[in-house]
Amino acid sequence: MYTASDLRKGLKIELDGVPYEVVEYNFVKPGKGQAMYKCRIKNLITKTTQDRTFREVDQIGKPDLEYRTVNYSYFDGHKYVFTDLRTYEEFSLDEATLGDARHFLVDDVEVSLLFHNGRVITLEFTKPFVEKEIVETEPGVRGDTATNVTKPAKIDTGYELRVPLFINKGDWVRIDTRTGEYTDRVSKG
Amino acid sequence: MSQERADLRRKRPALELRACVLEEIRRFFHERGFLEVETPVRLRAPALEAHIDAEPSGTLYLRTSPELHMKRLLAAGYERIYQIGPCFRRGECGALHHPEYTMLEWYRANADYEALLSDMRGLLAAVGASPLNGSRPVRLDREWRIWTVSEAFRGWAGWDPVELWDENRFDRDLVEKIEPALPRDAVSILRDYPAPAAALARLKPSDPRLAERWELYLGGIELVNAYSELTDAAEQRARFERCARERAARGKPVYPIDEAFLRTLEEGLPPCAGAALGVDRLVMVLAGANTIEAVTAFQEFEPAPPAIPRMNP
C-alpha cells in the first residue's frame, strides 16, 4: 500500500481494482485542517482522467504492474502474437486490447506490454514512429506543399488517417503511434 | 549565466515588492501604536495542533507560530503587539506551502475578532496602495464578501458542519467545493467556524457551537486566520490534552504541553484577539504569481523521500 505522502506525478496506483497514473498533483492544506493531495488521475485501461483528493491518512493501493519488452511475430487469424525474444514466451492479444495500435504493427517491431495482474492493459511502441505505405487516397496536388490542408488516406491495414494534399498512393509516411496521426513523408529508394 | 543567477535576476521586481510590503506592514502597525516584538524561534513546546507538525531542532522544535509567546506578552500588559518572522511546518510543500515561511502575527488585548477584521481592512488598504504594487489582479478596494461557515457550506456543499460535525467531510468539501467557489478577484471572509475546528479560539458566548474565528481569502487563496483567543486555562488544558490524544492515535509526534503558557492563563490573560497572515502568499497574490517560490529568493528543499521501487525491470 502507498500512503498519500508517497503520491507524486507519474506514480501508478490502484483504486477499486483499477490501475491509475497520477498525472497532476497538488499539496493542499486548508486552515487548521488536515493535509490533502488534490490529484488528477488517469485510468490506465480506459485512458480517461478524473480528479481525486486524497487525505494524508488514506491508504492507496499499489497495483501489480509489470512491463515486458516483446516483438510482434504474426497474426494467427484471430489474435496478434508477440514473442519475448529472451524466453521465447508468446503472448496473444485480441483486437480490443490493442485498439488502433494493431494497425501499426510491422514484423518484428519491438513493443512494451504493460501487464496489470497478469493481463495486458497497454501496448507502447519502443520507437513511437512507424512507417507505412499509403494504399488509397485521392490523387495528390503537385506542388501543393501546404501541410495544414488534409484529405483522407488509408494504409494497408485499412486504418484511415488525414494526410496533406501532396501525398500520393504508394507514398510512405511516418505515423506517430501515440496519436495515430501523420507526421511526415518518407523518401523511399 | 547560471540558472540560479538568471532566476534571481528575474525575481527582482517580486523581491522589491516583498520589501515594500514588509515596510508597509511595519508602517501600518507602528502608526496604530503596535509594538514590534521578537520571540524565540526554537521552542520546548510548540503549540499542539492536530494537523501541524513541528520540525525538531536539536532537543527543541522550530516554532510553527509565535502565538503562545505573544499571548504571554499580552498577559504582561503589552496591549498591541505584532511580529514578522520565520515559522516552520514540517512536510508542507506545494505551490502555496513551504516548510519555512514568513508569518505576520498581530494581537490586541481587550478586543475580539471583529476588531481584527477592521485592522485587516486597514492593512490591505495600506499594502494595496503601495507604489510598487502595479499589476494587482485582485481588487482590494471592492466590497468584501463575508459568509459564515454555515452559509458557505449550506450553499456550496449542501450540508451544515455546525449542525453535524464531520472533520473529514469538512476538510474535503472546504478544498473541493468551498474554496473553488470563492471569488478570484476579490476579498472573501469565512467566519464563525464550528467549535471543533478551532484549537485556540474562544467559543461564541451567544452560541457555543461556534468558535470566534475568521479566515480571509484573497483571490481564492487562504491568507489570514484570526481568533478571539481562548483565555480559560482549564478549557485550554483540556483542548491540548484532547489534541495530544488525537496526535498519538494518528501515530504523530506528541509535543509537550506548554506549562508556562498555561500558567500565564491561570494567572490571567485579558480578553484578546490575534491574527496570523502568510506574508509569502500576500506578496504572491499582489505580484500576480502562482507560487510562493516566485516571490521567495531561495527555497531550501528537503531531500526527496526514498524512491518507490519500480515495478517494471
Side-chain angles (χ1 to χ4, degrees):
Chain A
M1 293 295 256
Y2 291 121
T3 62
S5 55
D6 294 321
L7 290 169
R8 69 206 154 100
K9 216 168 150 177
L11 184 70
K12 295 187 172 68
I13 58 175
E14 184 171 289
L15 304 170
D16 302 324
V18 179
Y20 293 87
E21 178 177 338
V22 177
V23 291
E24 261 176 56
Y25 155 90
N26 284 298
F27 175 86
V28 292
K29 195 159 185 284
K32 300 284 178 180
Q34 55 196 314
M36 278 175 282
Y37 302 82
K38 260 179 124 167
C39 295
R40 173 155 293 162
I41 57 177
K42 184 170 100 178
N43 183 319
L44 290 176
I45 294 171
T46 63
K47 312 295 180 212
T48 54
T49 60
Q50 65 186 87
D51 292 326
R52 178 83 180 237
T53 304
F54 298 97
R55 292 179 304 136
E56 205 175 14
V57 293
D58 284 345
Q59 297 275 309
I60 302 162
K62 201 179 218 177
D64 171 15
L65 290 174
E66 191 192 22
Y67 277 109
R68 269 181 103 128
T69 303
V70 297
N71 294 70
Y72 176 56
S73 296
Y74 59 94
F75 180 62
D76 73 1
H78 304 283
K79 292 203 167 185
Y80 298 79
V81 181
F82 297 81
T83 311
D84 182 330
L85 293 181
R86 282 158 301 184
T87 63
Y88 293 101
E89 230 175 310
E90 288 192 342
F91 303 94
S92 301
L93 303 182
D94 59 21
E95 236 180 78
T97 307
L98 291 175
D100 279 343
R102 71 182 192 277
H103 297 295
F104 311 130
L105 292 170
V106 293
D107 284 352
D108 299 324
V109 68
E110 188 181 278
V111 300
S112 176
L113 301 180
L114 179 59
F115 290 80
H116 177 240
N117 295 331
R119 192 169 69 92
V120 175
I121 54 170
T122 311
L123 174 148
E124 283 164 22
F125 289 80
T126 305
K127 296 192 183 106
F129 299 98
V130 293
E131 293 173 5
K132 281 289 194 179
E133 185 181 355
I134 295 298
V135 297
E136 198 184 306
T137 191
E138 296 290 312
V141 182
R142 189 179 293 278
D144 189 343
T145 53
T147 50
N148 55 350
V149 188
T150 61
K151 59 178 181 176
K154 263 186 195 165
I155 58 175
D156 57 346
T157 57
Y159 177 76
E160 215 172 277
L161 73 167
R162 307 286 308 182
V163 298
L165 298 182
F166 59 81
I167 296 293
N168 277 308
K169 183 175 162 187
D171 282 347
W172 283 71
V173 299
R174 212 183 320 270
I175 299 172
D176 186 335
T177 59
R178 295 162 299 191
T179 59
E181 284 169 12
Y182 167 90
T183 311
D184 57 356
R185 178 161 61 177
V186 186
S187 36
K188 283 272 174 181
Chain B
M1 188 168 23
S2 71
Q3 186 61 45
E4 173 177 295
R5 197 164 290 198
D7 286 346
L8 287 173
R9 289 191 181 178
R10 189 172 37 77
K11 282 181 185 177
R12 189 172 185 113
L15 297 183
E16 285 176 352
L17 172 63
R18 187 182 179 102
C20 185
V21 166
L22 287 171
E23 207 174 307
E24 290 296 338
I25 291 172
R26 288 198 161 93
R27 193 200 323 276
F28 174 83
F29 284 109
H30 178 75
E31 281 172 1
R32 278 154 192 80
F34 281 75
L35 180 68
E36 180 168 9
V37 298
E38 290 178 294
T39 60
V41 171
R42 298 171 73 238
L43 312 178
R44 258 198 310 277
L48 269 163
E49 298 246 15
H51 303 296
I52 297 178
D53 296 339
E55 195 67 59
S57 168
T59 56
L60 304 181
Y61 296 94
L62 297 178
R63 67 179 178 191
T64 57
S65 142
E67 69 182 291
L68 303 186
H69 279 104
M70 299 290 276
K71 289 181 196 170
R72 283 158 74 179
L73 283 165
L74 283 173
Y78 293 82
E79 290 199 321
R80 289 188 292 278
I81 48 177
Y82 77 101
Q83 175 161 199
I84 300 171
C87 289
F88 303 82
R89 293 186 179 183
R90 188 180 174 88
E92 299 193 4
C93 228
L96 299 178
H97 294 83
H98 191 258
E100 172 176 351
Y101 64 103
T102 301
M103 186 106 103
L104 158 69
E105 292 209 355
W106 77 96
Y107 290 81
R108 275 180 178 273
N110 304 310
D112 65 3
Y113 71 150
E114 301 284 355
L116 297 180
L117 210 45
S118 99
D119 286 340
M120 193 64 234
R121 285 184 192 273
L123 179 62
L124 277 191
V127 165
S130 100
L132 278 173
N133 176 13
S135 67
R136 216 172 324 136
V138 179
R139 296 283 301 276
L140 302 175
D141 52 356
R142 196 175 277 182
E143 186 66 26
W144 289 16
R145 307 289 306 276
I146 300 181
W147 293 272
T148 66
V149 168
S150 268
E151 288 165 354
F153 272 74
R154 274 192 260 117
W156 290 313
W159 66 293
D160 185 349
V162 174
E163 299 293 332
L164 181 69
W165 176 244
D166 177 337
E167 187 190 15
N168 288 334
R169 192 176 173 201
F170 181 79
D171 285 349
R172 194 180 292 246
D173 282 356
L174 191 56
V175 165
E176 291 188 336
K177 296 176 181 164
I178 309 300
E179 290 183 358
L182 297 174
R184 298 286 117 184
D185 60 347
V187 178
S188 7
I189 299 275
L190 292 183
R191 58 176 291 164
D192 299 341
Y193 280 67
L200 295 136
R202 180 176 83 183
L203 301 184
K204 224 175 162 58
S206 60
D207 185 351
R209 294 174 309 160
L210 301 175
E212 294 191 342
R213 169 185 173 195
W214 54 257
E215 287 250 5
L216 179 140
Y217 289 81
L218 197 53
I221 289 164
E222 183 197 349
L223 185 69
V224 190
N225 179 61
Y227 289 154
S228 296
E229 302 292 348
L230 178 63
T231 55
D232 180 319
E235 170 69 14
Q236 183 65 77
R237 182 181 291 279
R239 288 197 205 174
F240 277 158
E241 283 170 354
R242 189 170 61 225
C243 186
R245 283 195 300 275
E246 262 182 63
R247 291 188 63 90
R250 283 173 208 260
K252 296 266 193 184
V254 179
Y255 313 118
I257 285 182
D258 189 338
E259 293 295 341
F261 171 65
L262 287 176
R263 271 197 304 280
T264 298
L265 294 189
E266 280 157 16
E267 207 179 326
L269 174 66
C272 58
L277 177 153
V279 173
D280 310 81
R281 288 188 187 176
L282 173 60
V283 178
M284 180 192 105
V285 174
L286 293 175
N290 295 319
T291 64
I292 58 174
E293 192 271 335
V295 298
T296 312
F298 300 98
Q299 289 198 334
E300 202 68 38
F301 285 101
E302 293 169 37
I308 292 138
R310 284 190 67 80
M311 302 305 293
N312 52 307

